């Protein structure tokens, strides 16, 4: 027997004629009717739209007004489709039918996630950007073991160059290279020695009690994920009403500045330049600004699309939940 979903809004939709037509065809086209009140599911109501009622049977739909002949064609097509799959022994079809008649633990988890995904996202980003700050805290407290674990975890994810990282518990929050020309701050060469101002030593140098201890994520990464977190919190508090950022704005404001700032300083790390070549080194402020812009605009570009996808998923599971509840009542 096939199942027919009948969508309507209680108090607004007259189902008398539709129910009569379905009853008239019960003998020639056996079916079970699952009535779904769209008033209980605004997302589904907006998707289905009006006029109502709407009949759905597998991939086939009918929107009011329709005739009994239209309904007969729909039921015939759905019946033939089911008979075909049963005759050909399509186990996948039977499994899908069985899954459609029960609510699994995964369904409930996905439903919960579709409602609270921003809480999950923000918590993950907060932990990701916050954990690196515990490394210098542990170093300062003398707990070298946990600090090394954190540095090791983030090592494949970030270059961790000391002259491009923030420091805690020291005289300065950062120690840029001399060629960055940051006035009023001691340079990295001054605190570690010019002979050690290279990638390997810069990556291995964690710090000491005088200069402080470096955060396990570089300045730019801290800014990027802080941007994700800032927008994520604002987006969640606004009840996810923001539309996606236009892709052109994302590229112009988010991607191009960070791309120029990052790529333009690569030659200084790749080789020892001759005296006549001008090698650029970004500043902590510029890395933070471009990273923050990239994080905020990327989250603004992506999160609304994720929210849309989650809304569709939530609608499907709520629809399935209503369907199973109707079957339980009928049983």
């Amino acid at each position: 027997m096939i199942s027919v979903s009948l969508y309507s809004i209680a108090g607004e939709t007259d189902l008398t004629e539709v129910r009569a037509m379905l009853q008239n065809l019960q003998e020639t086209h056996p079916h079970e009717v699952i009535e779904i009140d769209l008033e209980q599911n605004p997302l589904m109501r907006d998707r289905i739209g009006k006029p109502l009622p709407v009949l759905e049977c597998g991939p086939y739909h009918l929107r009011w007004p329709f005739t009994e002949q239209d309904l007969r064609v729909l039921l015939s097509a759905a019946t033939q489709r089911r008979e075909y799959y049963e005759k050909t022994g399509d186990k996948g079809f039977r499994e899908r039918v069985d899954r459609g008649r029960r609510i699994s633990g995964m369904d409930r988890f996905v439903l919960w996630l579709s409602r609270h995904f921003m809480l999950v996202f923000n918590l993950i980003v907060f932990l990701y950007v916050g954990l690196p700050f515990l490394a210098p805290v542990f170093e300062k407290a003398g707990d070298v073991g946990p600090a090394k674990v954190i540095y090791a975890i983030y090592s494949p994810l970030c270059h961790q160059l000391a002259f491009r990282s923030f420091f805690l518990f020291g005289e300065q929050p950062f120690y840029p290279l001399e060629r960055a020309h940051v006035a009023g701050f001691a340079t990295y060469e001054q605190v570690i020695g010019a002979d050690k101002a290279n990638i390997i030593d810069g990556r291995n140098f964690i710090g000491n009690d005088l200069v402080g201890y470096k955060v396990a994520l570089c300045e730019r990464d801290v800014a990027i994920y802080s941007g994700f977190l800032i927008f994520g919190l604002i987006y969640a508090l606004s009840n996810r009403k923001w539309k996606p950022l236009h892709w052109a704005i994302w590229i112009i404001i988010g991607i191009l500045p960070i791309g120029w700032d990052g790529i333009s300083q690569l030659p200084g790390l790749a080789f020892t330049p001759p005296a006549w070549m001008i090698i650029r080194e970004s500043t902590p402020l510029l890395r933070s600004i471009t990273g923050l812009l990239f994080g905020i605009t990327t989250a603004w570009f992506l999160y609304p699309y994720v929210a849309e996808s989650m809304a569709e998923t939530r609608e499907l599971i709520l629809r399935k939940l209503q369907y199973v509840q109707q079957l339980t009542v009928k049983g």
Side-chain angles (χ1 to χ4, degrees):
M1 182 181 296
I2 59 175
S3 297
V4 179
S5 298
L6 175 57
Y7 298 98
S8 63
I9 297 179
E12 295 183 13
T13 312
D14 185 5
L15 301 179
T16 304
E17 188 172 352
V18 175
R19 288 170 176 158
M21 287 191 290
L22 287 166
Q23 184 60 40
N24 292 340
L25 295 172
Q26 183 63 251
E27 185 174 348
T28 56
H29 299 82
H31 59 271
E32 57 180 351
V33 180
I34 306 298
E35 295 191 14
I36 298 176
D37 184 4
L38 295 178
E39 189 63 33
Q40 302 176 21
N41 193 336
L43 287 173
M44 193 183 302
R45 181 184 63 212
D46 293 341
R47 180 183 68 82
I48 292 178
K50 293 184 178 181
L52 294 172
V54 170
L55 283 174
E56 180 181 81
C57 189
Y60 310 111
H61 299 77
L62 274 181
R63 182 181 299 275
W64 187 258
F66 49 81
T67 66
E68 187 170 315
Q69 179 59 31
D70 295 329
L71 182 54
R72 182 180 288 106
V73 171
L74 178 141
L75 295 175
S76 297
T79 301
Q80 292 172 6
R81 178 175 180 268
R82 183 183 182 91
E83 290 175 349
Y84 169 79
Y85 283 116
E86 290 178 344
K87 185 182 297 184
T88 56
D90 189 334
K91 295 181 180 179
F93 176 77
R94 288 196 292 271
E95 290 174 357
R96 290 193 295 272
V97 172
D98 291 339
R99 285 198 302 268
R101 292 174 176 269
R102 65 177 185 270
I103 298 296
S104 66
M106 180 58 70
D107 288 329
R108 298 186 185 280
F109 171 74
V110 173
L111 179 60
W112 177 88
L113 182 62
S114 69
R115 288 169 168 162
H116 305 287
F117 71 95
M118 281 309 306
L119 173 64
V120 175
F121 283 9
N122 287 334
L123 181 59
I124 291 174
V125 175
F126 172 76
L127 292 175
Y128 185 84
V129 74
L131 187 60
F133 285 85
L134 288 180
V137 172
F138 283 129
E139 285 285 351
K140 181 66 175 179
D143 295 326
V144 178
K148 286 185 176 180
V149 171
I150 296 175
Y151 285 122
I153 291 174
Y154 284 88
S155 180
L157 308 173
C158 177
H159 57 65
Q160 296 183 337
L161 293 173
F163 48 85
R164 294 181 180 176
S165 299
F166 292 114
F167 278 71
L168 299 183
F169 311 114
E171 297 179 343
Q172 298 179 181
F174 44 76
Y175 299 89
L177 292 175
E178 289 181 358
R179 62 172 177 259
H181 304 295
V182 180
F185 289 89
T187 66
Y188 178 73
E189 289 89 344
Q190 290 173 333
V191 301
I192 195 175
D195 59 323
K196 293 186 177 182
N198 55 65
I199 294 178
I200 296 177
D201 288 319
R203 184 174 172 84
N204 293 332
F205 181 69
I206 293 176
N208 52 51
D209 288 336
L210 180 61
V211 301
Y213 299 92
K214 73 177 179 181
V215 177
L217 271 181
C218 69
E219 297 159 350
R220 198 187 306 278
D221 282 357
V222 168
I224 288 174
Y225 294 106
S226 295
F228 267 91
L229 183 59
I230 290 171
F231 181 82
L233 292 173
I234 295 174
Y235 187 61
L237 292 174
S238 68
N239 201 24
R240 304 190 293 272
K241 293 182 179 180
W242 294 40
K243 294 183 179 180
L245 185 68
H246 193 281
W247 63 268
I249 299 177
W250 176 46
I251 291 176
I252 294 173
I253 298 179
I255 296 179
L256 290 182
I258 196 173
W260 169 82
D261 189 50
I263 295 175
S264 63
Q265 60 181 356
L266 288 179
L269 295 177
F271 59 92
T272 302
W276 54 266
M277 181 176 289
I278 299 176
I279 298 298
R280 177 184 176 276
E281 176 72 13
S282 184
T283 65
L285 178 60
L286 195 53
R287 289 193 192 96
S288 298
I289 291 175
T290 57
L292 198 62
L293 287 175
F294 176 77
I296 291 175
T297 56
T298 301
W300 191 348
F301 179 76
L302 293 177
Y303 281 0
Y305 287 115
V306 176
E308 182 179 337
S309 176
M310 288 293 181
E312 293 174 356
T313 300
R314 183 165 63 254
E315 175 188 331
L316 290 174
I317 297 179
L318 286 173
R319 177 180 167 187
K320 180 179 178 180
L321 184 61
Q322 285 185 306
Y323 174 71
V324 172
Q325 289 173 343
Q326 289 276 353
L327 287 179
T328 303
V329 172
K330 287 194 171 187

